[in-house]
Amino acid sequence: MIPQPPYLPMTPEEAKTLGISAFDVILISGDAYVDHPSFGTAVIGRVLREAGYTVGIIAQPDWTHPNDFLRLGRPKLFFGISSGNVDSMVNAFTPNKKRRHTDAYSPGGKLKRPDRAVIVYANRVRSLFPGTPIVLGGIEASLRRFAHYDYWSDTVRGSILADAPADILVYGMGERQMTEIAARCAAGRSLREVRGTAVGISPAEWRETDQSGYAIIPGFPAVRDNPEAYAQAFALHTAEQDPVRGKAVVQPHPKTVIVQYPPAFPLSPAELDRVYELPYTRAAHPSYRDPVPALEPVRFSITTHRGCFGGCSFCALTHHQGRIIQSRTGTSIIAEAGRLARMRGFSGVIQDVGGPTANMYGLLCPQWETKGTCPDRRCSPDCPHLRTSHARQVGLLRELRQIPRVKRVFIASGIRFDLALADDAGYLEEVCAHHVSGHLKVAPEHIAAGVTELMNKPGRETFDRFRERYAEASRNAGKKQYILPYFMSGHPGCTVGDAIELAEYIRDNRLYTEQVQDFTPTPMTRSTCMYATGIDPATMERVHVPREREKQIQRALLQYRDPKNRRLVIEGLKAAGRADLIGTARQCLVEKGDDIRGTRDRR
């Protein structure tokens, strides 16, 4: 085992200090190098180092010149390429396609990554190092592994493997895959049939392959030109994203055939513990003069688990981390909290304890290990097999509060409120008494029945019951605390009438918030499929898709008190036949008349 340095080397000088003349693996990332377990490059780099491989990092290279790519030389095994923690197009543009002026994952927020970073980096590396294997990974590669709708070009693009000159693509979190790829490269073995990866093979090779046992989905030309084929392809590959029962998925492209092997098996608690127990410094590389903004909100946070079985239609976690919850042991989490408490700069506050959904920690279904997730139903509190008691997390939170120097422990990653209602261990009461910093983040997203059904979110009645329970628990704790709800506008299936229904709900329940998310189609989600095709892939039924002006109106309706939105609100209300909500009466959302500059505060 090779000792872990304080930071993985980024320069030849650092490599020389560690006695490294040539790296086994070089990782290239669109993010700055931050040695923290919330940053994928740091995790993969540390895991490979732990497995015995020397690793160098090229962070945010200047893609217009070869110098940065040549800095560390040619690796013995492969280059690993990622856009960073966020898809480069999501990172570069707002939901209304305006270019952002800052990048939270860059020192000083400076813009230093190209659009479609994975493709750009891979082409540069292939031209400079022909013959050296290239491994694609990270969220951008993972969620673009099949033909997909690209919101920023308003086109259906082929698999990223058809555009980037790579040997293999890793999807999912990647620790198992990357160590196996390294071992195979070191032994000179084939990179085919590695779980949790996808490759491109020639059409001729595919024709000669025994095709039984594969799930063959409509090819790129059909998906590009036919909405029904796109929806069918999405439904078919979604059905195979389970590590126990999933098949290999094949999608033909004109010059290559994409083969996705079944997902990697989940990490065991001991394996997951080891990933997060590696000696991360939780700081940006010391060569940076400016801070990396994305670090501060998570510097003193703890990841407790991976995976999410919520299955929200607009979220791609099912296709990346999977539905099976992988939880760390309480012992490991407590030990990590103890290390945080001893770190320089720790103020006594653990910023977050959670995962994709904080209160899924420790939840499980007995069938996951042997049968995988159910192919014909979604995991929910209604399922008799799902164990919904939050007792394990309640116990963990109590232990965390007892650690010396820890003053507060917050849950910032949000909770699934239908699961909290199904708990029998006093979780909500525990959270309200000790773990809310004034506001608790929850994401009902909408309250119109047809919209929440398409979103695969709990309905209005469930959210109302949660608000009542939360208010009661806060009163019993002697605290005045609020819910910070996240609502979404412009989702497929949502009409202007639905947006008005939500606006009235916000008005009546005093839930007005300026934090409204305008639906953005991102690769490999059910909602994006609906947006691109007008078809729900789960039912193959037609779905209304709000676009352009209507999307603007829906967002304005949810922020009806903002004076800038008054004209759009009036336009939407008139179009929906709801002029009764325009005026000075108490129930009105907006006042009328060109001389009125704003709306009334009717809280």
Side-chain angles (χ1 to χ4, degrees):
M1 186 182 300
I2 303 175
Q4 295 268 2
Y7 294 91
L8 298 173
M10 292 179 63
T11 65
E13 293 74 22
E14 291 175 89
K16 184 177 180 180
T17 300
L18 295 172
I20 300 171
S21 57
F23 290 101
D24 294 320
V25 176
I26 295 175
L27 301 179
I28 300 175
S29 174
D31 289 344
Y33 171 35
V34 178
D35 194 55
H36 188 284
S38 293
F39 289 73
T41 299
V43 172
I44 295 300
R46 291 284 186 189
V47 167
L48 285 169
R49 181 85 185 194
E50 178 79 358
Y53 303 100
T54 55
V55 180
I57 292 179
I58 300 175
Q60 299 186 306
D62 179 355
W63 70 94
T64 63
H65 298 283
N67 294 355
D68 285 351
F69 295 91
L70 295 168
R71 182 191 310 136
L72 300 182
R74 183 189 297 268
K76 298 176 184 177
L77 303 180
F78 63 83
F79 282 99
I81 296 177
S82 165
S83 69
N85 274 14
V86 183
D87 183 287
S88 59
M89 300 304 288
V90 175
N91 193 69
F93 293 92
T94 67
N96 59 1
K97 299 184 182 181
K98 292 184 179 179
R99 188 170 286 278
R100 301 183 195 274
H101 300 296
T102 60
D103 183 342
Y105 292 90
S106 293
K110 297 175 183 176
L111 300 178
K112 301 186 68 174
R113 86 181 77 212
D115 295 346
R116 310 193 191 284
V118 169
I119 297 173
V120 173
Y121 293 158
N123 276 295
R124 176 61 80 173
V125 169
R126 178 62 81 216
S127 68
L128 295 171
F129 299 96
T132 300
I134 294 176
V135 180
L136 307 183
I139 198 76
E140 181 168 310
S142 179
L143 299 184
R144 294 177 183 264
R145 59 190 186 265
F146 294 116
H148 56 280
Y149 174 72
D150 182 80
Y151 174 64
W152 300 273
S153 62
D154 193 25
T155 61
V156 175
R157 294 176 63 98
S159 165
I160 198 169
L161 279 170
D163 292 329
D167 298 84
I168 189 169
L169 178 153
V170 170
Y171 69 93
M173 297 302 282
E175 293 93 353
R176 285 195 190 284
Q177 301 95 303
M178 292 296 278
T179 51
E180 182 171 351
I181 289 168
R184 289 191 180 204
C185 285
R189 295 170 54 206
S190 168
L191 297 182
R192 301 287 175 83
E193 299 187 3
V194 177
R195 278 182 164 271
T197 70
V199 298
I201 65 175
S202 70
E205 181 181 350
W206 172 240
R207 287 193 294 269
E208 296 173 0
T209 300
D210 179 2
Q211 298 178 12
S212 61
Y214 290 90
I216 304 173
I217 67 176
F220 171 56
V223 164
R224 178 192 58 206
D225 301 332
N226 187 317
E228 287 78 12
Y230 188 118
Q232 290 168 358
F234 183 86
L236 288 169
H237 75 66
T238 296
E240 306 302 334
Q241 304 307 316
D242 182 90
V244 179
R245 55 175 174 76
K247 301 177 184 176
V249 181
V250 172
Q251 185 177 54
H253 283 56
K255 296 182 180 180
T256 188
V257 176
I258 306 303
V259 181
Q260 177 206 271
Y261 301 111
F265 288 115
L267 297 182
S268 69
E271 290 171 324
L272 196 58
D273 285 351
R274 188 58 193 145
V275 168
Y276 289 99
E277 289 170 357
L278 293 170
Y280 306 98
T281 60
R282 293 180 174 260
H285 190 273
S287 63
Y288 298 131
R289 295 182 178 180
D290 297 317
V292 178
L295 171 61
E296 291 313 312
V298 299
R299 184 190 293 271
F300 297 109
S301 64
I302 298 175
T303 299
T304 58
H305 62 288
R306 291 179 178 174
C308 180
F309 54 74
C312 298
S313 299
F314 46 81
C315 178
L317 267 169
T318 296
H319 299 273
H320 191 65
Q321 292 191 11
R323 289 166 59 188
I324 295 174
I325 304 302
Q326 306 164 60
S327 297
R328 295 172 60 187
T329 65
T331 300
S332 176
I333 295 169
I334 296 299
E336 181 175 345
R339 292 193 297 273
L340 293 187
R342 296 189 295 272
M343 287 182 63
R344 178 180 297 178
F346 182 69
S347 65
V349 177
I350 295 179
Q351 295 161 300
D352 185 30
V353 176
T357 299
N359 61 324
M360 287 187 186
Y361 172 72
L363 304 191
L364 60 89
C365 172
Q367 299 185 146
W368 284 344
E369 187 171 348
T370 57
K371 298 181 180 179
T373 56
C374 294
D376 58 346
R377 68 175 68 180
R378 299 184 184 274
C379 302
S380 77
D382 298 328
C383 179
H385 299 291
L386 183 67
R387 297 178 182 173
T388 58
S389 173
H390 292 35
R392 185 172 169 187
Q393 190 179 27
V394 169
L396 173 65
L397 292 171
R398 288 174 178 170
E399 287 192 68
L400 288 171
R401 296 200 303 270
Q402 302 305 313
I403 295 174
R405 298 193 64 212
V406 171
K407 302 173 184 176
R408 297 296 304 272
V409 179
F410 292 131
I411 297 174
S413 46
I415 68 173
R416 182 90 180 194
F417 54 86
D418 56 338
L419 285 175
L421 290 174
D423 169 60
D424 60 4
Y427 173 76
L428 189 56
E429 289 71 21
E430 191 80 13
V431 168
C432 288
H434 302 286
H435 303 286
V436 177
S437 59
H439 292 81
L440 180 69
K441 296 178 183 178
V442 293
E445 305 295 358
H446 218 283
I447 51 87
V451 181
T452 54
E453 182 177 355
L454 287 171
M455 289 178 165
N456 197 36
K457 294 290 292 186
R460 173 176 180 164
E461 295 78 12
T462 304
F463 183 50
D464 284 340
R465 284 195 292 117
F466 176 79
R467 290 196 302 111
E468 292 172 2
R469 280 276 307 277
Y470 177 79
E472 180 184 7
S474 294
R475 284 195 301 270
N476 292 341
K479 296 187 176 184
K480 192 173 184 179
Q481 299 177 146
Y482 304 93
I483 285 177
L484 181 61
Y486 285 84
F487 294 115
M488 181 180 290
S489 64
H491 187 274
C494 185
T495 65
V496 171
D498 294 324
I500 294 171
E501 181 181 348
L502 177 53
E504 291 188 280
Y505 182 85
I506 291 170
R507 174 202 65 199
D508 295 342
N509 293 281
R510 302 182 180 182
L511 292 174
Y512 187 88
T513 173
E514 295 183 0
Q515 299 190 42
V516 173
Q517 180 182 356
D518 189 12
F519 169 69
T520 305
T522 53
M524 206 171 279
T525 73
R526 176 187 171 195
S527 298
T528 296
C529 179
M530 288 188 269
Y531 181 90
T533 66
I535 298 170
D536 178 4
T539 63
M540 296 303 292
E541 295 178 354
R542 302 296 303 183
V543 173
H544 170 72
V545 179
R547 300 181 186 276
E548 305 300 337
R549 185 71 171 181
E550 184 183 348
K551 283 194 75 179
Q552 296 175 21
I553 289 171
Q554 288 196 24
R555 183 184 180 103
L557 281 162
L558 304 193
Q559 297 174 308
Y560 60 86
R561 281 209 261 132
D562 188 334
K564 297 191 299 291
N565 292 331
R566 187 177 62 81
R567 295 186 186 278
L568 285 170
V569 171
I570 290 174
E571 181 181 339
L573 292 173
K574 287 182 177 179
R578 293 301 309 274
D580 59 298
L581 297 178
I582 304 171
T584 57
R586 186 169 182 80
Q587 79 276 10
C588 291
L589 298 179
V590 64
E591 295 182 3
K592 60 183 176 181
D594 291 339
D595 58 326
I596 303 298
R597 298 189 54 139
T599 59
R600 295 176 60 188
D601 186 344
R602 296 181 176 82
R603 290 177 294 176

